Amino acid sequence: MIIVANQPIQLSPSEWSAFEWYWLQQLQNRPIRYVYQSMDHLHFEWNLRESLVDAAEGLNRSGVSFASFEDSRCNPAFWNRNAQGGFELRPDVTPAEGIRDIWRNGRLYAFECATATVIVLYGGVLGSIREDAFNSLFRNLLLFDWHYDSDLRLTEKNGKELALPGDVLYFKNPDVSPKTPEWQGENTIMLRENWYYGHGIGIASGQEIIRTLNHFRFPGSMTSAYLMDMVIYPDFLYLSRYAKNAIGNNPDITTPVLPGQMYVRVGGSRYLRT
């Protein structure tokens, strides 16, 4: 059931894309309450979720390659590669230009799956908010592993069975072979029911991702890879103040005050972005 401003609502398909309408019908038919502050909040979340799916599918088509941090590469016209294999935005490039170039010139880029996931998050947000707001929020971008700007306000909860398109989920390979540590797991973006984008694997079902990871266990292992219960997503309500159709920053759109440091646990580890 969908609740907007404390009231159940009826939706009309004419107001939504085919993607949004399909998923909103799924939510309406579930016994769980999905609560939104306003119709603007509801519209923005599902616009951003669709944008995240589009970004993931587009990155899969872009020609980007999988590589370890040691072998990562980027377009030097937009990014400087640092000693750790991360990408630092050039001072003469806007964040929007730098992120957009990854889709436009994908063959110039190579990175591992955690970096790819953060790139998809930035790409999805860029497709849903004003470009001036994106450039203001995400100045001095660093693309490296699970480092991310605190203005994404990533939220973690348990409940893989309730995951929605655009959510980040992690497939863990607990018995990974020490010869292939890069296959200890796969960060993914959910696209639709049981279909995910994972950099290095591509678009695949959950079963296909697990089969792939199981090829990289140590000999004799009987412990299969599996989908963890953790679900990660950005703060849709907070970001909605920067929606393309919003007039300025809306001071009335508020979320609980967060600490100055944000943590998110990915693949069993905790990462900090100040």
Side-chain angles (χ1 to χ4, degrees):
M1 179 184 296
I2 297 174
I3 305 294
V4 175
N6 298 317
Q7 296 292 328
I9 60 165
Q10 295 296 320
L11 302 175
S12 169
S14 63
E15 300 176 5
W16 308 91
S17 70
F19 170 92
E20 293 167 338
W21 180 247
Y22 171 82
W23 281 98
L24 289 170
Q25 291 300 100
Q26 305 304 304
L27 269 56
Q28 283 284 49
N29 293 328
R30 293 179 181 179
I32 300 166
R33 290 162 56 96
Y34 293 89
V35 179
Y36 297 88
Q37 221 179 65
S38 65
M39 286 300 295
D40 285 343
H41 178 201
L42 177 62
H43 273 283
F44 180 81
E45 174 168 330
W46 283 94
N47 177 268
L48 177 48
R49 286 190 180 278
E50 185 169 12
S51 184
L52 288 163
V53 170
D54 290 344
E57 293 177 339
L59 194 65
N60 186 59
R61 297 189 300 267
S62 69
V64 297
S65 299
F66 182 89
S68 64
F69 296 116
E70 293 79 7
D71 297 321
S72 67
R73 65 178 188 273
C74 56
N75 185 351
F78 290 82
W79 303 88
N80 295 318
R81 183 184 181 278
N82 64 26
Q84 290 74 44
F87 310 150
E88 299 173 358
L89 189 68
R90 287 172 54 101
D92 58 334
V93 174
T94 68
E97 290 170 339
I99 290 297
R100 199 174 283 126
D101 185 67
I102 301 172
W103 278 262
R104 288 178 174 170
N105 293 296
R107 287 175 174 78
L108 300 179
Y109 292 85
F111 38 76
E112 44 62 67
C113 69
T115 302
T117 302
V118 175
I119 288 171
V120 169
L121 290 169
Y122 284 132
V125 171
L126 176 57
S128 299
I129 70 173
R130 303 189 316 274
E131 187 160 328
D132 65 314
F134 186 90
N135 290 333
S136 176
L137 289 170
F138 303 117
R139 295 185 296 270
N140 304 315
L141 274 184
L142 167 66
L143 303 178
F144 177 68
D145 198 14
W146 258 100
H147 289 266
Y148 65 91
D149 191 285
S150 60
D151 277 300
L152 283 177
R153 294 200 181 192
L154 297 187
T155 301
E156 175 190 333
K157 69 176 183 181
N158 291 328
K160 62 185 179 183
E161 70 282 354
L162 298 176
L164 297 170
D167 285 343
V168 178
L169 295 101
Y170 187 75
F171 289 80
K172 184 176 178 62
N173 189 12
D175 283 356
V176 63
S177 169
K179 295 180 180 179
T180 55
E182 65 273 19
W183 290 102
Q184 64 186 300
E186 183 76 359
N187 293 285
T188 67
I189 302 289
M190 180 179 165
L191 306 178
R192 52 190 183 276
E193 298 102 328
N194 197 37
W195 283 91
Y196 308 87
Y197 166 69
H199 183 57
I201 291 179
I203 294 175
S205 68
Q207 293 87 347
E208 290 170 330
I209 293 172
I210 288 171
R211 281 198 295 271
T212 298
L213 292 174
N214 283 344
H215 288 310
F216 298 96
R217 293 177 293 177
F218 59 73
S221 169
M222 300 299 291
T223 302
S224 174
Y226 62 94
L227 177 61
M228 294 182 66
D229 199 39
M230 170 187 63
V231 179
I232 295 170
Y233 50 88
D235 187 333
F236 297 102
L237 179 59
Y238 167 72
L239 290 170
S240 70
R241 70 176 70 184
Y242 306 107
K244 290 181 178 180
N245 61 351
I247 302 174
N249 293 348
N250 186 349
D252 296 328
I253 298 177
T254 59
T255 52
V257 176
L258 299 177
Q261 298 178 325
M262 289 190 65
Y263 292 90
V264 64
R265 182 180 292 105
V266 180
S269 300
R270 290 179 74 90
Y271 295 83
L272 166 64
R273 175 66 174 177
T274 58

